[in-house]
Each structure stands twice: as structure tokens, then as C-alpha cells.
Amino acid sequence: MGEAGVGVVPPAGALPPTSALPTTGAGPLALWPARATIDLDAISNNVRALRERVGGAELMAVVKADAYGHGLVPSARAALAGGACALGVAQPSEALALRAAGVDAPVLTWLVAPGTDLVPLVEAGVEVAASAPWALEALADAAVATGRPAVTQLKVDTGLGRNGAFCLPVSTDPRTDWSDLVDLAARLESDGAVRTRGVFTHFAYADAPTHATVQGQQDVFADAVRLAEKAGLDLEVRHMSNSAATLTSRSATWDMVRPGLAVFGLSPVPDLGASADYGLRPAMRVTARAALAKRVPAGQGISYGHTYLTPGATTVVDVPLGYADGVPRHASGAGPVQIHGRRFTVAGRVCMDQFLVDVGDLHVEAGDEVVLFGAGDDGEPTAQDWADAAGTISYEIVTRFGPRVPRVYVGGQR
Ligand SMILES: *Cc1c(COP(=O)(O)O)cnc(C)c1O
């Protein structure tokens, strides 16, 4: 079936653009029982703290996946206000969404599959990463179609074994996919079709800074940069470091760092240090209004499968957030919440739209605030606590919140 016959539904949620939602009062927000409050000043300050850490090197803020769930455009603007000089996204549609919102900072998109229409990207001045010759050829075609040169950054695989043209230490093998890619890039640049502005790579073990691959990948990257320059490419930016490397491997800084998670104030290395240890502040706070609070007798099974039995007569609180909203089902019986300043744990299974909490004899009423996580200042759980409870990483906790959880922005210049 041809694409023309396929109805295209944009992946917008059921909500109006969150930027259109008021931050206080009734209005549209009153329709949703939960919200994620995003502290834009925290994002700006985190960028500032990260830049200080790398001696003022340039910083590309990674805002893929709706800015790790924090909202693409407001988060991008907050990162730029904090001193980011560029934005990085995975998918082309994310780059175009930034441009459509009027964000004109340099944007790099690095996950482009064959068949992607590169014309609107080149027209919008979006840099498209190339990991293979076909991507450079497609960029050259788009340059012809638009009448303006395409701009790329070449992705080299120095050992992650994921995206990027494979490169080995020159002493092992000087002719690799990478050397073919840089030769083609140099040819297309001299034709005036594709400008190669930078080269970059990504670590496999940045969260284990003493792992041998962390130095090994830096050595291969140095060889890859030399090969690119020898081929005639005049590189403006060379970058390796994600959040973990930005925080723990200074030697990997080169011209620019490329953090995502740390921009949003979460630690990518919770075993080595918490957010505050790195001068970072979590930017997302998720809260809900209790949908119901009721007394139940001892021995009552709670939620599907009755995996939790009330130990005595108690008050059970129904929280209107479930796995469809991003609360991991793996956090059944384990996820932490705070109600009236006290910590409780999810009782029984997380359902699609709701979960339960046994608050004992604490006086709780429907409508009272339930805090899932926040910055942790007031004893509330953090996204890291939820990650620990669900056996995952904080990245997954914040990126999963869906369209039924409106993002509300505080701070920043709005
Ligand atoms: C996601 C991503 C980053 C950011 O990673 P964090 O660990 O969130 O800092 C940087 N570079 C690439 C290529 C990525 O895919």
C-alpha cells in the first residue's frame, strides 16, 4: 500500500499544548487529576553548573523524548537561557518541532533512517548526523533540492557498538567504515554540497568511569578525529560526553559536552553521587489529587490479585495515576509517595489508571495532594527512588509520563 493512502495522525496527546495551560487557578488544568510541575530555573541552573564543571566548554543540551518528559520547547529555551549553545535530539520530527516553535539555536538530530525526507531539515538549517555513506548521499541530494548546503556532524562508533561508523585504533586497522565515511564527507564538502561541522561519539560505560572502555573510546576518538582532519575536514566541534562523562571524565570534554539527564537535574551515576553532590536540582515534580480515601477492615485485599492485604482496619487512598500515565507496574508494592509530609508505599498492584496507598490512621481526604516525586527537599521521594523501587533508571521514570499528565511550568522567563 502506498503511503498516500495512509492516514497520518500526529503523535500529539489528548491535551492542548501544555504551554497554553494556565499554571494556577481552575481552567483546563482542572480536568486532569495529576500534573508534572517543571522548574525551568532548575534546568537553566543545571546547565550553568555543568558548564562550570567542564571549564566553560560548550554544551549541547539533549532534549530528545520531549526533553526527557519535561516538555520539548520550554525545556529547550530554559537550557539555552542557562548557556547551552546547541540542542541535540534523536528524531528529525523533534528538531522540526523546535524550529516550528521559533527556536533558532543550532540543532543536531542523529537518528535518521533511510527514506526520511531530509529536505525540510536542510531548509530549517537542522544539522543531520551521518553514520554511513547513504546518509551523506541523501544530504547531498537534499542540498541540491533546496539550493542550500546541508550541514552534518559525523557519528563515529568508538566502541559502544550502536549508531555510528565503526572505527578501530589506527594501529589496529587504518581502513575502516569511518575512513570511508570521512573520505566521502571531504569529497561532498569540496563539491559544496555538505558541510561537516563536527564529529562525535557516545560512551558505553560512562557511568563506570574507571572501566577500561572509557579511556579506550577516548583513544579511538582521537584517532577518528585525526583521520577526519587528515581527510581535509575542518572541524568546529568534537564531542563525546553524555551526562555521566560530563560529571566524571573531564578528559573526554574536547570542545563540547552533550548531556541530557543531568540537564534535568538527575544523577546518571546514583551509586557515585546524588544530584546535589553535582550541584544539580531535579526539575520535575509529579503530584496527583487523591481520587478517594476510605476506611476498610483488616484482611482486605487491595487491587488486582490482592497481593496486598490490610494488616488492620485502615484508610486506603486511591491515586489516579497508573501505568498508562507512566507509573511503572514494576513499582507495584514498592513505589514511594508522600502524603501530608509522610512517606508511604504503593499497596498492591499498579493498575492502568490508578494505584492505592495504605495510610493507616492518617487523616486523608479525597482531593488531598499525593506527591510521587520531586527534588527531595521536603522529604518527598525522588525520581531516583522510583527507579530503585521499579528496578530501572531515573531516565525511564521521567520519560514515561504521558499526555494525561499535563506539564505545568514554573520559573524561567515566560
Ligand atoms: C541520549 C543521548 C545523549 C544524552 O545522554 P545522557 O546520558 O542523558 O546525558 C547524548 N548523546 C547521544 C548520542 C544520546 O543518544
Side-chain angles (χ1 to χ4, degrees):
M1 186 168 71
E3 297 254 321
V6 180
V8 177
V9 180
L15 290 173
T18 45
S19 55
L21 295 170
T23 54
T24 54
L29 264 186
L31 283 174
W32 286 276
R35 65 189 60 186
T37 305
I38 310 300
D39 180 350
L40 296 175
D41 290 335
I43 293 175
S44 301
N45 289 332
N46 292 334
V47 169
R48 249 173 241 124
L50 291 165
R51 283 202 67 197
E52 251 166 56
R53 208 173 222 332
V54 293
E58 291 189 8
L59 185 148
M60 172 186 287
V62 177
V63 292
K64 61 190 179 186
D66 201 25
Y68 291 52
H70 294 65
L72 176 66
V73 173
S75 300
R77 289 196 202 285
L80 293 168
C85 68
L87 302 166
V89 294
Q91 298 193 0
S93 65
E94 301 175 307
L96 291 177
L98 286 165
R99 285 290 185 263
V103 176
D104 57 10
V107 176
L108 174 68
T109 172
W110 54 70
L111 207 53
V112 177
T116 304
D117 183 5
L118 300 181
V119 166
L121 295 161
V122 173
E123 262 169 0
V126 169
E127 298 173 15
V128 178
S131 288
W134 64 260
L136 285 177
E137 304 280 11
L139 276 170
D141 290 345
V144 169
T146 57
R148 58 181 287 177
V151 182
T152 191
Q153 296 197 35
L154 304 178
K155 180 92 187 270
V156 54
D157 181 357
T158 54
L160 172 58
R162 196 176 75 174
N163 203 3
F166 201 67
C167 188
L168 287 164
V170 172
S171 56
T172 310
D173 188 355
R175 289 251 33 116
T176 57
D177 287 355
W178 176 249
S179 47
D180 293 343
L181 189 68
V182 295
D183 287 349
L184 177 60
R187 186 144 36 85
L188 293 173
E189 182 149 309
S190 59
D191 294 347
V194 183
R195 160 94 183 107
T196 295
R197 207 170 78 76
V199 298
F200 70 113
T201 193
H202 199 44
F203 282 109
Y205 269 104
D207 55 348
T210 57
H211 194 276
T213 58
V214 177
Q215 186 56 51
Q217 286 193 249
Q218 292 178 64
D219 297 342
V220 177
F221 190 64
D223 281 356
V225 167
R226 269 192 292 275
L227 285 170
E229 287 170 346
K230 217 170 92 193
L233 296 173
D234 175 20
L235 305 173
E236 287 170 42
V237 287
R238 303 158 295 179
H239 45 113
M240 306 186 76
S241 294
N242 60 0
S243 295
T246 300
L247 295 176
T248 64
S249 299
R250 275 295 304 277
S251 59
T253 298
W254 291 77
D255 309 309
M256 186 189 264
V257 291
R258 207 176 60 243
L261 190 78
V263 167
F264 304 102
L266 297 169
S267 171
V269 286
D271 296 340
L272 302 179
S275 302
D277 297 325
Y278 297 109
L280 303 172
R281 181 175 171 80
M284 183 188 286
R285 176 179 179 86
V286 174
T287 55
R289 295 191 302 270
L292 187 67
K294 67 182 174 201
R295 292 295 291 178
V296 297
Q300 173 62 48
I302 298 296
S303 191
Y304 293 126
H306 284 182
T307 56
Y308 180 83
L309 293 178
T310 54
T314 191
T315 297
V316 168
V317 175
D318 185 352
V319 183
L321 280 173
Y323 59 77
D325 301 296
V327 177
R329 192 168 177 276
H330 274 89
S332 294
V337 299
Q338 187 193 45
I339 305 175
H340 295 322
R342 283 181 52 191
R343 285 275 199 123
F344 299 98
T345 300
V346 173
R349 290 201 186 136
V350 173
C351 311
M352 186 184 292
D353 315 298
Q354 48 200 311
F355 66 83
L356 291 307
V357 181
D358 177 349
V359 297
D361 290 329
L362 183 69
H363 182 77
V364 178
E365 292 179 12
D368 286 355
E369 184 181 72
V370 179
V371 182
L372 277 76
F373 60 85
D377 301 337
D378 296 321
E380 78 274 30
T382 60
Q384 183 61 47
D385 293 331
W386 273 87
D388 295 341
T392 183
I393 52 179
S394 62
Y395 293 76
E396 192 176 353
I397 298 299
V398 290
T399 53
R400 284 168 53 115
F401 281 95
R404 296 196 304 188
V405 183
R407 274 53 164 186
V408 175
Y409 296 95
V410 296
Q413 306 142 341
R414 286 161 303 128

